[in-house]
Amino acid sequence: MGEPRGFLRYARSEVGHRPVVERVTDFHEIDLPLTPEAMRNQAARCMNCGIPFCQGAGCPVVNCIPDFNDLVYRGRWKDACSLLHRTNNFPEITGRVCPAPCENACTLNVNDNPVMIKHIEYQIVERGFEEGWIVPQPPRVRTGKRVAVIGSGPAGLAAAQNLARTGHDVMVIEKDERPGGLLRYGIPDFKLDKGVIDRRLDQMRAEGVQFQCGVTVGEDISVRYLRKRFDGVCLAMGAGQPRDLNVPGRGFDNIVYAMEYLTAQNKLCAGEPLEGAAPISAKDKVVVVIGGGDTGSDCVGTARRQGARKIYQLEILPKPPEQRPSDTPWPNWPRIMRTSSSQEEGCERLWSVMTKRFIGTDILVSQLLGCQVEWITGPQGWEVKEVSGTEFRLPVDLVLLAMGFVHVTHAGLVQNLGLRLDERGNVLVNHHQTSEPWVFAAGDAVRGASLVVHAIRSGQDAAAAMDRWLRQEHRGQ
Amino acid sequence: MIVNPKNQGLYDRQFEHDACGIGAVVDIAGRPNHAILEYGQQVLKNLRHRGAAGADNVTGDGAGILLQIPHELFAAECQTNGIVLPAPGRYGVGMVFTSKDALLRAKWDALLAQAMGHYGLDVIGWREVPTQPDCLGPIALAAEPAIRQVFIDGNGLADVDLERRLYRARKRTERLVREDGGTEAEEFYVVSMSCRTICYKGMFMDWQLFAYYPDLADKRTTTSLCIIHQRYSTNTFPNWRLAQPFRCIAHNGEINTLSGNRNSMRGREPKMVSPTLGDDLTDLFPVVDPTGSDSAAFDNALELLVQSGRSMPHALMMMIPEAFGAKYHISTDKRAFYEYHAAVMEPWDGPAAMVFTDGRIIGGTLDRNGLRPCRYLVTKDGLAIIGSEAGVVEFPPEQISAKGRLRPGHLFLIDTTEGRIISDNEIKSRIARQSPYRRWLEENRIELRGLFDAPDLVETDPVETIKRMRAFGYTAEEKRMILAPMAVNGQEPVGSMGNDTPLAVLSDRPKLLFSYFRQLFAQVTNPAIDPLREGLVMSLTLFTGKKQNVLDESPVHCRQLKLPHPILTSADMARLRAVSRADFKVATVPMLFDVNRRSPGKALRKGLDALVKAAQAAVVDGASLVILSDRGVSQTQAAIPSLLAVSAVHHHLLREALRNECGLIVESAEPREVMHFCLLAGYGANAVNPYLAFDALAEMNQCGDLGEAIEPVAVSDHYIAAIKKGILKTMSKMGISTLRSYLYAQLFEAIGLKKSFVDEYFTGTTSRIGGIGLDEVAREALSRHAYAYDNDDYSYPEIDMGGDYAFRYQGERHLWNPTTVAKLQEAVRNDDAEAYAEFAEAVNAQSERLCTLRGLFDFQAGKPVPIEKVEPASEIVKRFCTGAMSHGSISKEAHECMAVAMNRLGGMSNTGEGGEDPARYVVESNGDSKNSAIKQVASARFGVTINYLAHARELQIKVAQGAKPGEGGQLPGHKVTGEIATLRFSTPGVTLISPPPHHDIYSIEDLAQLIYDLKCACPGCKVSVKLVAEVGVGTIAAGVVKGNADEVLVSGHDGGTGASPLSSIMHAGCPWELGLAETQQTLVLNNLRGRTRLQTDGQMRTGRDIVVGALLGAEQFGFGTAALVTLGCTLLRKCHEGGCIYGIATQDPELRKRFAGKPEHLTRYLTFVAEEVRQIMAELGFEKFEDMVGRVDRLKTAKAIGHWKAKGLDLSAIFHQVDTSDGRPVRFCERQQDKHQDHMDWKIIELARDAIENKKPVTLELPIRNTDRTIGAILSNRIVLAHGPEGLPDDTLNVVFRGSAGQSFGAFLIGGATLTLIGESNDYLGKGLSGGRIVVKTPPEATYLPHENIIVGNTLLYGATGGEAFINGMAGERFAVRNSGTVAVVEGVGDHGCEYMTGGCVVVLGGTGCNFAAGMSGGIAYVLDERQLFDTLCNLDMVDLETVWREEDKSVLRQLIERHRTFTNSVRAKYVLDHWSGMIGRFVKVVPIDYRKALERMKAEERRGTETTPATEEVFHG
C-alpha cells in the first residue's frame, strides 16, 4: 500500500486528451498519458482495502489491482508488469478501451474519486513494451494437441494465447484479412492504435500461435475438415448479428450498420483494400447515429473526423441521472450521464426518442421521422410508449445504426456444427463446452455483445476448460 | 459416593479452576493452644465471601485446616479404643478418605498396612473420625467419603527420618491402591500422613468445617500453628479431595504452566537419585499425581524436594522464584542462586499466595507479580496471623505490634522452634550462600563466544530462496504484512476487523500445521501480565543442555548453554556447530521425508520414525544439543512440518526418559511469525533458527521492500526484537512470566486435528472436534513441495499472493467479500428484503462451502407452524446487541447512530471501553435516546463514574475481547481529541493505555467482588461478563455465574472490530459454536444455567446464525462487524490507521463528515435478521424464541461432508446433550440471589436522609468489619440519581468508621460525601472514586509507626476520576492505578505505584516499590525520596523526574500535605511541614513527558487567548 492517507493528500488526476481542434483532424490516439512521477501519487491513493472491490466486484479478469498499485508506488514497474500479465492477456487493450468497472467499484468511489486504475494499467503495460519486459512465453513442454480458434477478437486471442502457452498447437482462423476482429475493425484508431494489436500478435506468433486469415469456416473450409485436422475447436467469432431497425424506409442505401461504417474507416486508415464500392464518408453530411452506446460514440468520433456537417445521436432510453440512482448502488455499475470524448467533439444527443420512419427519395434517405417516448411498467416489465404530439423531423444525409448486436451469426458454422443455442440465440455452453464436446466457445458468441474485458476473461476460461478436457482425453487414449 | 461427572461433550474436568481465601495462625513461640484453632475458625468465617457455594447454595466448594498433631486428644481417644500411642513425635497419623464400602475399605487397609510394613512401619490401629454429617448440603453429603485416621508406629524413628519414611510409605500405598485399579481407587485418598501435622478438610462452607469435625472444637485439640483454606471453585462437582490445605501448603492462585511443569517433572524422574530417600524411588513415581489439581501438583513436587533434603524455603525459592532481572536491586549471591536454579527447575508460574508449613516453620509467600493479596499481623503477645485479607481477626490497636503485607516474591517466615519471625532477607541470604552458587555458575555456565553478536550479512541464492518460500507456504502478502513491519519497526504488525476466513481444517488451501492450533489465554481465574509496562518481571532467558538430578545440587548442574532468548540467527547456528567440547556435543538430525505422492501419509510416518530414532541415537551418543534441520529439502525430500517434528521428538524422548539429556533446536524454513515460535517452544523446542525468514528479509531488503533506510544488520535485529516481544506477549496473555516455564507447557488447543494424531504426536493437547491426520498433513506439505519443485517460473510474483489478511479473488475465501458487503448495504439502504435474502443466501450458502463450523450444521426438521403464530420480529430484535466499540475507536457519529438504532428497537447498544457523554442520558425531542443500554467496564475504566454506572440497563465486565483476548490496548495520543479526552477524563494528545488485566480481577473471587461492587453502584442492574471462547471457557463461566453474574457473553475468536496484533486476530481463541456449546453444557451440568442468560457474538450475520446460536444455548446475540457494514463500512481494515473514509473508525473531523450511516440502516438490518429467524422458527416448529434455547437436539451434522480435510470432523461433542431428566433448566428462568439486602449502605442512607434529600450536613459514626464491602457505592448511586454527577456540596455527609474495612471501601464515592476510616482497609479502596473524599487514619492508640505499616491494601483508586484520598500509612501494590483525576496523599506505596495513571495528583511521603509510574501518561506525582534512589525504582519509559523548584509546584505540594495533616493528624506530614525548607529538596516530581507537552500546549493556547484552533484539531494535525 502506498500511503495510508494518500487519498487525502493527493487528488485524482484525469487522463488528458489532445485538444479537440487538433485531434479531430486525424485518427491518432487522443489520450495524453501522465508522467511517471504523477503516477506515483496516483498509485499512493490506493488504500489496499481489506476487501478490494476493484478486484472482487469490478474487474472481470480479477487483476490484482491493489498489488500493482503498490508496486507502481514503489517504482517496481517490471514486477507490476509481470503481475498484471498474470491476470490480463492484453492490458494494453483494456488500458485503452475498458470502461473501467474497477474504478466504479473502487471504495474511494463511494464518497470520493476513485484511484485511476485504468491508466495505471495502461502505464504499466506501455512501460513494459518500451523496456522490452514483455517477451514471448513459449511453452516448455508441448502436448501435441492441435486446437483451432475461430475468430481473433479479444476472446479468441486470449484463448489462443493461453492454449499455446500450455503447450498446444494453436491455429487461429480469421475471416478478415488480418487478426484482431472487433479490436482491429470495430474500434477506431483514435481510441486504439492498430500497432498496439500488432506488437501483441508478434508475441503470440513467437509463442507458437499460427494465424490463418481470410478464411471463413463453413465456407472456405468445412466442419469435417476441422474435425479431422484438430483435437478441439474454440469458437470465438463474436456476436455478429447486428440489431436492426424495422421501420418504414429502412431500405435506403445511406442507412448502414455502424460496424460496416467503422470497419471501412479502419481499413482505410490501415491502407487495406476495401471490398466493393467507395467507402461511405460523412464528409459535409448531416449524420444521425441511432444508438447511444459506445459503438454509437465511435461513429460520432469517426464522422466528426470525416468532416460531418452536423451529427445527431439518438437514444431511446431516457437521459440518465447525473448521480448514481438508488437501484444500482455502489459497487454496481450505474447508468449515469456520461460524455465520451467523441461526444465532446460535437454532437447533439437526443434522449427518449424513437425513429418511426425514414423518408427519402430514390435510394437515399433525406429525413428521419421520430417522436418522443416514455417508459412505463407493463405486465412484461418496462414498455416503451409513444408520446402523442411529439413527432419531429430531422434532415439527414447518413444514418448509422448502432443499436447493438443480437447474437452470434447462426448461418454457416454454428448451423453446420448443429450446436444448441440458448434462449437468446447465443451458443449454449457448460463451462465453455458446447453441445459438441470437442467444440468450445468463448466471448460474445456465448454471452452476447459485451465488453472487451469480458471477452478476454471468457477466452481465458475457455482455454482453461479446453486444456482440462484435452488432458483428460489424452489420458483416456 | 458420587464420583465427578465424567468428561462428556465439550466438558473436560481438567479445566476446573479454583481460587480462594487462605490464612495461617501461629503462636510464634510454638506454644500449643486450642485458641489457635479458634482464631483459625474466625479467619475462615471472615473469608466467607472469598469462597463460593454450589447450585444448592449450601454446599461449599471446600474448606480445611492443617494443624499440628493433637497428641492429647489422640492419646485419649485411642485409649478408649484400646490403642496405645507411642510418645509424641514417635508415631505418625494418617488422615484417610476411603470408601464406605466395607470390602473395598478392608482391601485398601490391607494394602496400606502392607506398604507401611515394607518401610518398617507398623499400623497400630484405626480410628473412625467422629463427624456431624447433618450440617452438610445434599451435594456434599452425597459425595461424603468414610473418614478414618490411621496411627502408625515409627518403630523408634522420629522427626525428619520418620517423616521421610511416612512419605515413602504413603506414596507406596497410593501406588498400590492405584494399581489395584478400578475407578473406585479414586475414592481412596490420604489427606495427610505425618508425625507432625494433620489435615481436616472436606466440601464445606466455612462454618461447616468446625461443625462437621467435632475434633476441631474439642478443647484437647491444641496446636501452635494452623493453616486454613476456603475454596472457590469454578465447578460445584462434589470432590472432597480437592479441598485444601494439602500436606504442605494452602494455595490461593493458579499454576498456569502446569502441563509444562508436569512434563518436566516426569522428564526428571529417570535421573532422580536421593541418598536421603533410599535407593529405590519407584514408589514415588509419578511424583505428581496426574489426577490432582494444580495446587495438589505443586504440593506433590514441593513435598518431594523437601523430603529429599532441601529446606522448605529453599524448595519454594526454586519453585516460585522472585523476579531477578537486571532492574531489581538484589544481592549478587541471591541472583546467582536464582540463576543457578533456573538451570535446575523452571518456575511454577502463575498468581499465587501460598501459606506453607512443615509443622515447625510456617510462612507465606507470593508469586513474583504479587497477584494475590496477603496481609499479616503480629500481636504483642506473640501471635502472628496471615490472611488473604486484613481484619480477619480483630484485635484492639494497642495490642498490635506490626502489620504488613507480603510483597511480590517475598517470604514471610516464622520458625516456632526458634520462636521468631525470620525476615525475607535473612532467610534468603542464608539459603543463597549455603553453596557457592555464584562460583559454580561462573565456572560452568556455557556462553559461546560471539553467539548473539550482530548477525552477519546473509548471502542468499535467490532461486533457492524462492523455492523454499514456495515449499514452506510463504505468501507475498505475508512478506508484506508480517515480515516487513517486523523488520522495519521491530514490532508485531497490527490489523483490524477480525478474521472471516475458514478454519484451517475447512480451507481448500494447504495450511501450515501451525494454523490448526489456537493459543490459550488467561480469563478471570488469573490475570494476564502487561509485557510492556511490567516487563521487568518477565524473562526469555533459558538454559539448555543436559539436566542433572533435581534432588541434588552440584557445579555440573549449571553446565548448560545459556540463551538470552530462543531465536538463533544462521550465523549463531554455524558457531554452535563449531563447538567442540567433550562435555558439550552438538548433533544435527534431518527432519525430512521422501516425496511420495501415492501414499504421503506412509512416507511422512517413515520420515518421522527415522527422525525420532536418529534423535534418540544422537542423545544416547552423548549429544547435549540436537538440531532438527530441514535445510536438506530437495526435489526428492520434503520437510516434515517443524512443529510435528519437534513435538514427536520431544514426546518420544520424554517417553524414553531421555528428554532431560539434551536441548532441542529447530533449524527450519517454516517458522516466521510469532505464533510459530510460541508453538515450537510450547511443544519442545529450546531454540529456533528461522533461517528462511532471515533469508527472505535479506532479499526483501535488497529489493527495497523495506524502505531505503535500513541497515542490513538492523533487519535481523528488528525481526528478532519483534518476535521476542510477540513471545512475551503470548506468554503474558496466559499470565506466564518466564519462557522457562512456558517451554513444553503446550498452552494450545488443536482445532481440526484427528484425536489419534494429536494423542500420538501432541500428547496432552485438547482436540475436540477431530479433523485431519498424518495423511492430510503430508498431502498439504507435498502440495507445497510440488509448487516449489515442479515449477520453474520465477517471475513476479514468485510465490503465492496470499489473501488471508485482505481479500483476494485468487486467495482464501472470506465471509465478508464484495458480494456480501454490497448486498447487505443495498438491502438496508433501499429497505430491500430481496437484497437481504440474497445477502443471507450468500452467507449461509458460503457457510456450507465450509467457512465456519455452523456451516456444517443442519437443522433437524420439526412440525412446521404457520409463520403468523411465530413471535413477532419486534420481540426477537430485543435480544440483539451491538458490539462493544468505544467512542474513540469509532467516531461520535457512528457510536450515537448505533445507540439510537438499538434504543428504537428495544435492543441494546454498548458503550465500549471509552465512557459516555452524560448529555446522551437526556432523551431527544423526537423520542430517540443516545444512551447506550450496556455500559462496559473494562480494564482501563475510562469514564467509569458513578453517574455512568447509574444510567445503565446492563453493566458489562469485559474480561477479554475476541480479537485479542488477554491483551491490553493503546489509543495513541494523536487520536485523543478534546472530545475523547473529556469522556475519558484525560488530556488531549496524551496516549491512553488499557492494561491487559483488570487490576481488580486477578482471580474468580475478585470477579465476584467486582460484580458485587457494580451491583452496589447500580442496584437492580444486570451485570454481564464477557469471555472469549477457548477450551475450558465453560468452567470459567460456571465460576462467573457462581460469582453472581446475571449474564455470560461468550465471544468467538473471529469477531472484533478494533485494532489488534495480527497474531492475536488469527491465532487466539476458538469459534463461538465451541465456546457456547461448552458453556451451555457445563452450566447445565452444574445446574447453574437457570440463573443466567447466555449471549454470544463473533461474525454473526444472518438469521440462520442466530437460530444455530439459540439451539446451542444462547439467548442474546451481538453484532459487531455486520452493524458497521450497515452503516457504510466495507472492511477497509484500516481502523488502526485512522484513515476510515466512511467516517466510522476515525476521529479526523474531515473524514467524520463523510459518515453516511443512519439508524434506520441498522434497524432494518436487524429486523431482516429477525424475520429470517422467524421463517426458520416456523419451519422448525417453534412459536416462542425461548423454546428454541438449548434445543441442541434440533441440530445435526450436515449430511455429507465431502471435503478432503473436513471429512474427518466429528461434531458430536458440540451436539452433546446433558442429562436433564431431573428437570434442571437449560435456559434462564430465575434471577440471581440478591446479596445486597443487608448492605451497610442501606442503613447509612436511612440515617443520612436529611443530607441526601435536603443537602443538610450529617455526621455518622459506625463500626466496620472486613465483611462490610463496597461501602458508599449504593449511597453514591442514590445521591447521583437525585443530584446529578456533581453530587452534594462539599462535606455534606460525613461518616466515620472504626475497624477493618472490607474490600472496595468508598468505591465510586460521589462528591459531598466523606468517609473516614479509623483502622485499616483491604484492597480496592476508592475504586472509581467519583468526587468523594476518603480518609484513612491509623488509630491513635496504635503504637507502631504509621508510615512503616500497611494500612490499606492493593490496587487503590483504580480508575478514580475525581475526589481526594488521604492515607495515614502505607499502601500496597498498584497505588492509584489508572487514576485519572483523584488527588491522593499516602505515606508509602508498594510496587507499580501510579501505574497507567492519566490524571490527578499523588503525593507519597515515604518509600515506594519498584516500577513506579509504569505506563503513566498523565497526572503528577510527588515522591519524598529520602535515599535519593527513586530513579532506580521508577519506570522512566514515559516520565521525567524533576526536582520541585517552581513556586507553583511547591505551593501545590505544601497545600496537599497540609490537608493531609488536617484530615489525618499525620505525624509524618507534621514532620515534613515542620522541616519544610530541608524537606522540599528531597521531593521528586514525576511528570509524564507527553502530558507535560500537552499542558504546555494548552497553556500556550490560553496565553494566545484565541479560539481559532480548537484543541481537537490541533491535536489531530499536530
Side-chain angles (χ1 to χ4, degrees), chain B residues 578-589:
Chain B
V579 175
S580 68
R581 284 172 63 151
D583 59 354
F584 199 86
K585 284 204 273 185
V586 179
T588 302
V589 177

Side-chain angles (χ1 to χ4, degrees), chain A residues 189-328:
Chain A
D189 279 18
F190 57 86
K191 278 171 70 180
L192 174 63
D193 185 276
K194 297 307 174 289
V196 169
I197 303 173
D198 293 333
R199 68 185 179 190
R200 184 61 76 178
L201 292 174
D202 289 345
Q203 181 199 34
M204 290 178 65
R205 287 191 185 97
E207 288 165 352
V209 179
Q210 290 181 300
F211 291 91
Q212 188 78 256
C213 293
V215 176
T216 307
V217 185
E219 290 176 17
D220 302 322
I221 54 175
S222 68
V223 166
R224 225 169 47 138
Y225 172 81
L226 277 186
R227 185 72 183 110
K228 213 168 78 185
R229 174 83 173 66
F230 297 102
D231 296 297
V233 169
C234 181
L235 305 184
M237 63 277 218
Q241 194 69 55
R243 184 169 283 116
D244 205 350
L245 181 62
N246 290 316
V247 295
R250 163 68 181 87
F252 291 115
D253 273 6
N254 54 347
I255 300 177
V256 295
Y257 284 123
M259 205 44 64
E260 286 174 33
Y261 172 73
L262 294 172
T263 302
Q265 179 59 48
N266 276 320
K267 287 188 172 177
L268 197 64
C269 289
E272 285 182 44
L274 291 166
E275 298 147 28
I280 317 153
S281 172
K283 188 164 173 56
D284 296 330
K285 289 179 181 163
V286 175
V287 179
V288 173
V289 179
I290 300 182
D294 289 340
T295 309
S297 266
D298 291 346
C299 291
V300 170
T302 303
R304 172 59 61 220
R305 279 163 182 72
Q306 290 175 345
R309 184 149 50 94
K310 168 85 187 171
I311 306 172
Y312 294 97
Q313 191 178 13
L314 274 50
E315 171 59 55
I316 195 165
L317 291 171
K319 185 174 178 180
E322 293 291 331
Q323 296 297 322
R324 179 188 287 279
S326 69
D327 62 347
T328 45

Side-chain angles (χ1 to χ4, degrees), chain B residues 454-455 457 486-488 490 701 709-721:
Chain B
L457 287 184
M486 290 204 276
V488 174
N701 200 27
I710 301 196
E711 285 283 316
V713 173
V715 173
S716 308
D717 277 355
H718 287 173
Y719 173 72
I720 292 174

Side-chain angles (χ1 to χ4, degrees), chain A residues 395-410:
Chain A
V396 53
D397 302 318
L398 177 62
V399 175
L400 301 172
L401 300 180
M403 294 146 59
F405 299 85
V406 283
H407 49 61
V408 66
T409 310
H410 294 159

